[in-house]
Amino acid sequence: MKPIRLGLLGLFILIVTSAGMAQSVRFDPARKLWFLSTRSTSYVLGINEENGVQHVYWGKRVAADGDFAPAHLASAYGFETREGLTAEEYPAWGGMRYAEPCLKVTFPEGNRDLVLNYDSQKISADTLEITLKDIRYGVFVTLSYRVFPRFDVIEKTVGIENRTKQPLLLESAQSGVWHLPQGQRYRLSYLHGFWAGETRLAQEPIDPGKKILESRRGNTSGQASPWFAIDALGAADEEHGNVWFGALGWSGNWKLVIEDTPYDQVRVVGGFNDFDFSYPLKPGERLTTPAFYGGYTDLGFGEASRLMHRFEREAILPARSADHLRPILYNSWEATYFNVNEPAQKALADKAAGIGVELFVMDDGWFGQRNDDRAGLGDWYVNPQKFPNGLTPLIHYIKSKGMKFGLWVEPEMVNPKSDLYRKHPDWVINFPGRPRTEGRNQLVLNLAREDVKAYVFASLVKLLSENNIDFLKWDMNRHFSEPGWPEVAPADQRKLWVNYVLNLYDILDRLRARYPNLEIESCSGGGGRVDLGILKRVEQAWTSDNTEAFDRLTIQDGFTHAYAPKVMMDWVTDVPNLNGRSTPLKYRFLIAMMGSVGIGANLNRWSEQDFALASKMVAYYKAIRATVQEGDLYRLASPREGELTASQYVSRDGQQSVLLAFLRSQQFLRPAPTIYLRGLDENSNYRLISIDDKLMEKGDVLSGAYLMNHGLNFNLTGDFDSTSVTLERVK
Ligand code: GLA
């Protein structure tokens, strides 16, 4: 067996780490075990007797880490090897291994066997790097861990490096595998959907075999979200039970494989989708996988999402987002569609400012020859017929009303009817001689090409330097097809899937560095690009093009399982809406208040009563938004389960709490169910301030114990009724 090479620095680190209790990463050389500790969880891995790195434990914190025995290989069965049955930390495809591998490689001479063993390590206070190496070849794989103690989250990324003298081909490159305790029955929770029906929560038992969640569409997509939660079969609810959860930070083709092996080992492998994946690495080259985040709690799905929300707000979102609440946004799309011009936008701006809007966004239609969705994408100059004086007078006007100015862009796309396409028909993703399938009359620019990337970046820099723009709504309204990149060698063409996304990230990162006050919303025909990779680069995400309030309850409920209410953009729009449904304006406003509020209605059609109610609602939201956006969310009643939906938010200092409650339809004169609050201090008193007369409890001041145990009753009646109560802790 190969000795562990620690070196002088390693020894020094070891001494320092053993001495300092605050360290979240520790190595015990005697047992060859690493301990990754968060506030409430432990993640343990070790080097086994064959020098392989294997998973030992992931779950509730075990402070007595002396209890853990060294890692050792499983026992063999007739048709399996010990390695194949062991919970390896990063199994490559080689030897007798039949579960989903993390890495699959082909060498030029045809060898496809790869077996990774421990090589070296590096430890800091909250990071660990373990380097693995193939038993024969110079293929080095560095597993990087970062521990986020306050959020009970661990990040895994993997660097794969070719230190051989020949090129090699990666056929699958995953970010890692999360192993669940062996031998239990589990349930999977995941988010699925489609355009206008994104992020809906599904739950099902994990049975033997594989469940695959993925995108093959070029971006994250609304078909599924790169997030999972797993609980012991049926044992967890919002408040109780063991929940293991995870998410990928990648905005391109991704894949999660949830597998229950024949030996009752449940594992989740995630990373780049290996479908149509082929990534050559020349000697000296390295590929880094997306980040794969994982966490654990024994306090149910509610705490799992609160941990994710805090983690996203404090460790994922751009740094400036931490000190900025999301402004109340108005978007002109549903009022004017493509028919934008200065007077019409100014008229809307007057009305929006009148109800307290803080950010006015002009949507599609302002550029190129963009009169409908058949032309103009790619030509990012201001349309001279619609804006003969440019955008400056409109922007001045909007700012004079005390609002910020935002603009819609879709930089990754081109309409064949555009100057750009006429000049550069080769700039789109395509296979020569094959159809160029259009989606919404547009084609996808090949951002993997350096010249295309430079054009997109330069167009945005020109736009942002000529106009005083505070915010971009960055859209992407189709998925990939015919994903060819004919300008590079056939062996390199499939790098497109990865390099497109890396270049998109690069454009966003450089724009943000150049315009530090610029804020961005990620939109892809609705919630098609929401993941922890894009959320590092944007302040907010468009949840769904479906703004019908009742449908939104389900979409938003699912969204909050994985993503923070602060990034969840919710608009109030007009009725009748999708499904031919009409709901009261108050109901629509309160549903929008479950996240960050926008208004997308046609204000030209609103009555005086509508404006009066909207002003009241906007003022109310301003009073509670710090709690909604920065506080802890408790999903008290889910739209998946009954007629009542209720969400409660508690500010981080515990001083304010907000309840939002919705009744779908009353039947048989039945009263609405009692609502039991959560997250309060039993021994504190709270002053109740109701926005209407629906609260049936008489006292103005009630104790936390009463609110959480006796609960509150509301006179919610008819269809689509709603209410909200604010609780202020009394000194
Ligand atoms: C997409 C967006 C909409 C709107 C239109 C504009 O569909 O999701 O909100 O911006 O594009 O064309």
Side-chain angles (χ1 to χ4, degrees):
M1 184 176 155
K2 201 170 162 198
I4 294 169
R5 284 194 266 124
L6 271 179
L8 264 184
L9 180 67
L11 265 179
F12 171 74
I13 289 167
L14 198 67
I15 293 161
V16 171
T17 50
S18 326
M21 288 310 286
Q23 297 288 332
S24 14
V25 180
R26 206 176 76 77
F27 181 67
D28 173 13
R31 285 172 295 161
K32 295 181 201 152
L33 286 176
W34 289 278
F35 299 93
L36 278 55
S37 310
T38 69
R39 201 189 40 170
S40 308
T41 76
S42 297
Y43 186 96
V44 186
L45 66 170
I47 304 169
N48 62 32
E49 57 270 41
E50 294 291 339
N51 209 29
V53 174
Q54 82 177 59
H55 171 78
V56 172
Y57 174 78
W58 182 33
K60 191 163 178 152
R61 177 91 194 250
V62 179
D65 57 28
D67 291 353
F68 288 95
H72 74 94
L73 287 159
S75 319
Y77 285 73
F79 283 89
E80 317 279 352
T81 56
R82 301 178 72 195
E83 296 76 21
L85 289 168
T86 295
E88 291 181 304
E89 188 63 14
Y90 194 78
W93 189 66
M96 280 178 77
R97 289 173 175 84
Y98 304 108
E100 184 73 16
C102 285
L103 185 61
K104 187 172 184 312
V105 169
T106 295
F107 295 92
E109 76 278 16
N111 169 45
R112 305 194 306 283
D113 183 68
L114 189 74
V115 174
L116 297 174
N117 272 344
Y118 175 80
D119 182 72
S120 59
Q121 67 166 321
K122 252 196 228 164
I123 292 185
S124 78
D126 58 1
T127 65
L128 166 64
E129 280 186 16
I130 301 174
T131 298
L132 310 176
K133 182 188 171 300
D134 177 57
I135 48 177
R136 290 278 287 284
Y137 293 89
V139 177
F140 286 80
V141 174
T142 302
L143 315 181
S144 300
Y145 299 82
R146 183 157 178 219
V147 181
F148 295 90
R150 283 187 300 135
F151 315 111
D152 293 325
V153 166
I154 293 170
E155 174 190 316
K156 297 181 177 185
T157 49
V158 175
I160 303 147
E161 203 179 328
N162 179 4
R163 286 196 224 155
T164 73
K165 296 202 161 48
Q166 304 191 57
L168 61 83
L169 194 67
L170 304 181
E171 291 172 13
S172 170
Q174 302 302 310
S175 307
V177 50
W178 298 99
H179 294 278
L180 281 285
Q182 190 267 345
Q184 286 187 42
R185 297 281 333 270
Y186 290 102
R187 172 174 66 171
L188 171 69
S189 302
Y190 62 99
L191 301 172
H192 69 105
F194 47 70
W195 175 80
E198 298 88 338
T199 55
R200 284 173 292 140
L201 186 79
Q203 295 188 310
E204 64 194 32
I206 300 179
D207 287 324
K210 286 180 185 173
K211 167 91 182 180
I212 293 170
L213 303 172
E214 64 173 355
S215 166
R216 296 180 175 193
R217 295 167 181 267
N219 76 352
T220 325
S221 109
Q223 182 179 326
S225 206
W227 169 87
F228 70 87
I230 293 179
D231 68 310
L233 189 63
D237 59 21
E238 281 290 320
E239 299 300 315
H240 315 95
N242 299 325
V243 178
W244 292 262
F245 54 94
L248 279 169
W250 187 242
S251 314
N253 281 2
W254 58 271
K255 178 165 143 175
L256 290 177
V257 179
I258 299 95
E259 181 171 9
D260 185 4
T261 74
Y263 308 98
D264 300 328
Q265 296 159 314
V266 170
R267 56 210 292 288
V268 185
V269 172
F272 294 126
N273 197 334
D274 57 345
F275 174 78
D276 200 43
F277 180 90
S278 171
Y279 206 96
L281 282 187
K282 294 198 194 86
E285 281 185 346
R286 180 188 169 100
L287 177 67
T288 303
T289 69
F292 199 6
Y293 305 94
Y296 161 84
T297 176
D298 62 346
L299 295 174
F301 295 109
E303 184 65 7
S305 39
R306 285 187 288 278
L307 288 168
M308 281 295 276
H309 298 169
R310 280 180 220 143
F311 173 62
E312 287 158 6
R313 286 195 309 259
E314 295 177 38
I316 294 287
L317 287 171
R320 74 182 303 272
S321 164
D323 329 310
H324 289 74
L325 294 176
R326 303 310 311 140
I328 305 209
L329 171 158
Y330 178 76
N331 179 295
S332 64
W333 174 241
E334 293 186 22
T336 57
Y337 292 103
F338 296 97
N339 194 14
V340 291
N341 58 51
E342 199 181 306
Q345 294 292 309
K346 282 183 172 169
L348 285 168
D350 287 339
K351 293 178 174 135
I355 51 177
V357 165
E358 298 156 319
L359 165 63
F360 184 95
V361 182
M362 178 162 68
D363 210 275
D364 200 350
W366 58 268
F367 55 91
Q369 293 306 308
R370 185 76 167 165
N371 297 315
D372 52 38
D373 65 12
R374 287 189 296 259
L377 289 173
D379 300 340
W380 298 108
Y381 62 86
V382 180
N383 180 298
Q385 284 81 39
K386 295 179 186 178
F387 294 94
N389 305 311
L391 296 181
T392 305
L394 174 64
I395 297 177
H396 276 161
Y397 189 76
I398 282 164
K399 303 220 168 182
S400 75
K401 300 259 152 193
M403 296 184 291
K404 293 193 165 181
F405 177 73
L407 197 60
W408 180 94
V409 289
E410 195 179 358
E412 299 152 79
M413 297 290 154
V414 66
N415 286 116
K417 277 194 197 157
S418 66
D419 297 343
L420 183 68
Y421 190 74
R422 282 184 285 269
K423 209 163 149 201
H424 295 291
D426 55 324
W427 275 13
V428 298
I429 291 173
N430 76 95
F431 290 125
R434 303 293 304 169
R436 297 182 174 196
T437 305
E438 292 175 20
R440 207 193 189 203
N441 312 303
Q442 61 198 53
L443 297 166
V444 184
L445 289 171
N446 185 354
L447 271 200
R449 283 175 60 140
E450 290 304 312
D451 49 359
V452 174
K453 172 173 135 178
Y455 170 81
V456 169
F457 182 70
S459 322
L460 290 164
V461 166
K462 185 163 187 297
L463 185 66
L464 292 166
S465 53
E466 287 174 359
N467 300 287
N468 193 355
I469 295 169
D470 303 294
F471 171 95
L472 289 178
K473 173 177 173 183
W474 184 300
D475 211 337
M476 184 201 191
N477 276 316
R478 63 156 294 175
H479 297 134
F480 290 20
S481 64
E482 297 99 16
W485 182 2
E487 292 74 23
V488 298
D492 286 324
Q493 288 188 12
R494 294 184 213 194
K495 285 165 95 171
L496 171 91
W497 294 115
V498 171
N499 292 9
Y500 181 102
V501 181
L502 294 178
N503 282 353
L504 169 71
Y505 286 170
D506 184 59
I507 292 171
L508 287 165
D509 292 344
R510 282 189 296 136
L511 274 185
R512 299 192 65 96
R514 196 155 171 157
Y515 302 98
N517 295 324
L518 178 71
E519 297 193 331
I520 302 177
E521 173 175 291
S522 173
C523 173
S524 178
R529 189 151 60 194
V530 189
D531 61 80
L532 271 59
I534 203 76
L535 288 178
K536 283 193 161 183
R537 297 162 171 97
V538 299
E539 276 74 14
Q540 61 190 49
W542 184 220
T543 314
S544 178
D545 277 354
N546 184 346
T547 56
E548 196 275 299
F550 177 64
D551 277 5
R552 263 305 183 104
L553 276 182
T554 305
I555 293 170
Q556 295 177 184
D557 170 71
F559 190 99
T560 64
H561 276 264
Y563 307 111
K566 186 175 187 180
V567 305
M568 178 170 80
M569 282 312 297
D570 307 332
W571 290 3
V572 175
T573 55
D574 291 323
V575 290
N577 205 305
L578 241 67
N579 311 308
R581 187 172 290 122
S582 292
T583 57
L585 185 57
K586 174 186 168 201
Y587 177 87
R588 283 176 269 150
F589 257 106
L590 292 181
I591 284 175
M593 290 187 204
M594 298 173 100
S596 287
V597 169
I599 298 168
N602 186 351
L603 300 182
N604 298 322
R605 288 213 219 111
W606 275 20
S607 67
E608 259 177 47
Q609 288 95 309
D610 292 338
F611 280 111
L613 179 58
S615 303
K616 235 176 87 184
M617 285 291 170
V618 167
Y620 181 60
Y621 183 66
K622 286 178 180 169
I624 61 169
R625 78 171 142 186
T627 300
V628 171
Q629 295 184 13
E630 302 280 334
D632 281 335
L633 167 66
Y634 294 81
R635 289 176 297 254
L636 305 181
S638 157
R640 285 172 287 117
E641 281 155 14
E643 295 293 305
L644 181 85
T645 300
S647 285
Q648 184 198 348
Y649 303 76
V650 181
S651 65
R652 295 313 308 280
D653 63 5
Q655 293 305 316
Q656 189 189 59
S657 180
V658 179
L659 171 69
L660 297 164
F662 308 92
L663 182 75
R664 180 188 181 175
S665 293
Q666 185 186 26
Q667 279 192 299
F668 317 116
L669 284 172
R670 257 202 301 251
T674 302
I675 298 176
Y676 301 94
L677 301 191
R678 295 276 170 265
L680 304 176
D681 173 16
E682 297 232 323
N683 300 317
S684 290
N685 288 323
Y686 296 85
R687 182 175 308 287
L688 274 62
I689 306 146
S690 179
I691 60 159
D692 50 32
D693 55 4
K694 305 218 167 256
L695 177 62
M696 291 163 78
E697 254 59 38
K698 289 294 157 248
D700 287 349
V701 175
L702 294 171
S703 68
Y706 181 94
L707 291 161
M708 294 194 287
N709 299 310
H710 174 277
L712 293 177
N713 293 290
F714 292 91
N715 185 24
L716 292 168
T717 58
D719 296 335
F720 307 115
D721 204 356
S722 58
T723 190
S724 178
V725 173
T726 306
L727 295 91
E728 306 282 354
R729 182 144 77 176
V730 182
K731 299 248 158 41

